[in-house]
Amino acid sequence: MIPRILNFIKRPTSKNVIINTVGNYLNIFFTAFFALILVRILTPAQYGVLSVLLGIAYVLANILDFGITATIYSYFPSLYEKRTEELYSFIKSTFFYQSFLSLLVIAGLFISFPSLDKVFFKTGAPLWELWLTSFSVLFLIWQNFFQNILFAAKKFLKTNIYLNLSNILKTSVILFLSSAKLVTVGSIIFVFGIIGPAIFFLFIFIEKREVVNKIIRSALDRKEVRFGYTFTYFIASQFFNLGLRMDLFLLSFFRSKTEVGFYGLSQKIILTIITTVISITQVLSPSFSKIRLKNEIISNLKTGFMYLLVPAFLFLALFFTPDQVYELFFTRSFNQTSAITKALSLPFILYALGSLPMLFLLYTVKKPGYILISNVIFFVILTLGCYFLIPRYGVFGPPYAIAFALIVAIFIQVYASLVEFKKMFSS
């Protein structure tokens, strides 16, 4: 048994999963560490403004992905194997069009941000901080783009080293600013939104200077972006991401802030384990995109299932964790957290294992339309379920809605996968 486990760990995929998971959790550690430093430097009001502005920047960077990440994982691995001129054209074209579309949105934000802040966000931040936030969105988008290119090339160790070296250098800059008494909301946004990504770019440029030159000289081809595929998945992902937040939004509408606080903490625990699912699917995606033969499909599905059992067992472990452990970490003030977390953990076992048909549909058969249909249905069921269940069951209503929504969405994706599987090998 032990030799089999050791052989499993020694697999290249296992190593990449471990590297990427550790890297993602290191990012979470640095996020918590930055918060620990900043709450000791900034006033509560300043930290509140910083949280809002950085939150806007990060959310916009994710939205302005426009589905390009899925396109990278779907098409880049095959191009990377051939290393032809088309590879460099693909990188240049996707980068250019994502940047162009993002700049249009950012320009609109640049102009409207002062008015939006007065009416909606109400941070009272000076104009230059609002403009700096808008500008930093572009740098964060570029960092995500090149990070995904490296991941699609299976450069997981290198990418995570670059990211965490960037985190260490950001920490050094913040400590220097603190010692020089130059810490302001604007200076922190500059460090996180400009300096951090710039350091990441510098590492890439130093090592890949020749590749960068080839990309610059390559042709710009609109067809490489595959807008139909890209925007279909973009819309699908927005429905799913919004659906995962509707439970908290509707709890805030129907129930007390205390209950929302209990539920919000439980949700953060669940989202932390979801990071493991994301780490695994990032590693598996390039392999799924290169599948051509029937035995390759079966082999990749078996491999993916084994790796996704890890977060599935982590969710199961949350269910069996004694209440005393939750109290030890979160104190008795959050006494309902254990019960809510246990109720949420079981549905998300489905989410972990349900990533397999999504990988097949998105990267192997490259038909994001199925993902769009299932995610819209997921969103509708979860929203309506929470709307009717929360007034009756309070914080224990959403887990039922999430479970039913996931069952229906995964069933649709599994059925679609079987249909597409038969089509692939019908002749």
Side-chain angles (χ1 to χ4, degrees), residues 365-376:
V365 298
K366 296 175 175 55
K367 293 191 176 179
Y370 292 120
I371 311 295
L372 175 59
I373 292 167
S374 63
N375 284 359
V376 169

Side-chain angles (χ1 to χ4, degrees), residues 4 124 137 157 220 241 255 274 295 303 347 370 374 408:
R4 289 181 66 184
V137 173
L157 179 60
L220 197 64
N241 291 332
R255 310 296 289 195
I274 285 178
N295 64 328
T303 301
Y370 292 120
S374 63
V408 174

Side-chain angles (χ1 to χ4, degrees), residues 44 72 87 108 113 118 161 188 266 282 298 313 319 329 370:
I72 290 170
L87 170 67
F113 211 163
K118 286 179 183 177
I161 288 172
I188 297 300
S266 296
Q282 283 175 331
I298 295 168
F313 280 127
F319 182 78
F329 280 95
Y370 292 120

